[in-house]
Amino acid sequence: VLIVIAIIVSTIFVFSGCGKKNKNQSSTDDKAYLQPLTNYFEGIKNKELSRVLKAFPDFMQMSEKITDTEIDDLYKQYESMYGANIKIDYSLGDAVTLGEDEIKELEDNLTAIYPDQENLDITAAYSVPVTVTITGDGITSNSNEENTAAENNADNTAETNTDDSTDNNNTEQEDMYVIQYNGNWYIM
C-alpha cells in the first residue's frame, strides 16, 4: 500500500509541474552575474552611492575611493563636455565565460593589488561587453568629434565610438569583468 501511495504521489508531483519552479529560478540565477553591472550603472544614473558600492566586493574598499562628491564631479565633468540635462544609458551585450586560466590570472591580479586577500577564490567570471551612451544638450556633432579625439588620445584602452547622425551623443564600448566571489557577483 505504501509503495502504491508513493508512486501516486510521485506521479502527481511530476505532472503538477512542481519541478518547473526550479527551472524558472535557475534561468533567473543564470543572469545573476549581470546584477553588479546593473547596480553600478543604475547607481551612477540615479546618483545612489550605496548602489554603486554594492557592485564591488568589500575587500576592494571602494567606499574609501568613491564618494558622493566623486559622483557629483563626474556629472559636472559630463556637463562641461556635453551640456546640461545629462542622461546616461547603457546596454549589456552577451557575456563570455572566462576559463580557468583566465580566472587564475584575475585572482593573481587582484592579489597583487590587494595583498591582504591571500586566498582569493573566484568561482566563476564573465567578460561582458557594455555600451554606455551619455547625452546632453550642449554639444554638436563637431564638438562631439573633437571630444572623442581628445578622449582617444588620453585613453587608448577605451574604445570610443560616436554616432555623427545624433547630436549630443557620446557612446563608449568596453568589456567589463564580473566575478563570483564568496557566492556573490561583483564587478572587477
Side-chain angles (χ1 to χ4, degrees):
V1 174
L2 291 174
I3 294 173
V4 172
I5 292 173
I7 292 172
I8 292 172
V9 169
S10 64
T11 304
I12 291 171
F13 178 78
V14 169
F15 287 115
S16 69
C18 291
K20 290 182 182 177
K21 291 179 185 175
N22 290 337
K23 289 179 184 174
N24 290 338
Q25 176 98 19
S26 69
S27 69
T28 303
D29 290 344
D30 288 345
K31 299 288 185 176
Y33 63 88
L34 295 176
Q35 190 59 48
L37 293 168
T38 301
N39 285 338
Y40 177 77
F41 287 108
E42 288 297 319
I44 295 290
K45 283 175 63 170
N46 299 314
K47 296 183 180 182
E48 294 178 37
L49 178 61
S50 63
R51 192 157 184 192
V52 172
L53 295 176
K54 189 176 177 182
F56 297 95
D58 290 337
F59 71 82
M60 287 185 170
Q61 300 174 346
M62 295 306 276
S63 60
E64 296 173 8
K65 300 171 186 171
I66 302 174
T67 64
D68 286 323
T69 304
E70 271 78 28
I71 292 175
D72 289 339
D73 289 346
L74 177 67
Y75 269 81
K76 288 176 186 172
Q77 180 182 9
Y78 286 155
E79 287 174 357
S80 70
M81 294 169 64
Y82 309 117
N85 299 316
I86 294 298
K87 182 178 177 192
I88 301 171
D89 292 310
Y90 66 96
S91 63
L92 307 175
D94 294 332
V96 176
T97 304
L98 300 184
E100 289 180 30
D101 292 340
E102 294 167 309
I103 290 173
K104 177 68 174 137
E105 186 177 330
L106 289 177
E107 288 174 345
D108 292 344
N109 290 341
L110 284 172
T111 303
I113 296 169
Y114 303 99
D116 294 341
Q117 289 301 121
E118 294 174 8
N119 295 322
L120 185 66
D121 184 29
I122 298 174
T123 52
Y126 291 96
S127 173
V128 181
V130 179
T131 303
V132 179
T133 304
I134 304 164
T135 56
D137 4 281
I139 63 171
T140 64
S141 293
N142 290 339
S143 64
N144 191 12
E145 291 170 7
E146 291 169 10
N147 285 336
T148 302
E151 288 173 10
N152 283 338
N153 290 336
D155 184 8
N156 292 330
T157 60
E159 178 181 333
T160 305
N161 296 321
T162 60
D163 181 359
D164 292 336
S165 64
T166 306
D167 287 346
N168 306 334
N169 184 4
N170 181 43
T171 301
E172 296 180 14
Q173 295 178 340
E174 180 179 349
D175 288 339
M176 295 184 72
Y177 293 100
V178 289
I179 59 171
Q180 187 175 36
Y181 171 70
N182 286 342
N184 296 312
W185 287 97
Y186 301 103
I187 292 176
M188 182 182 134

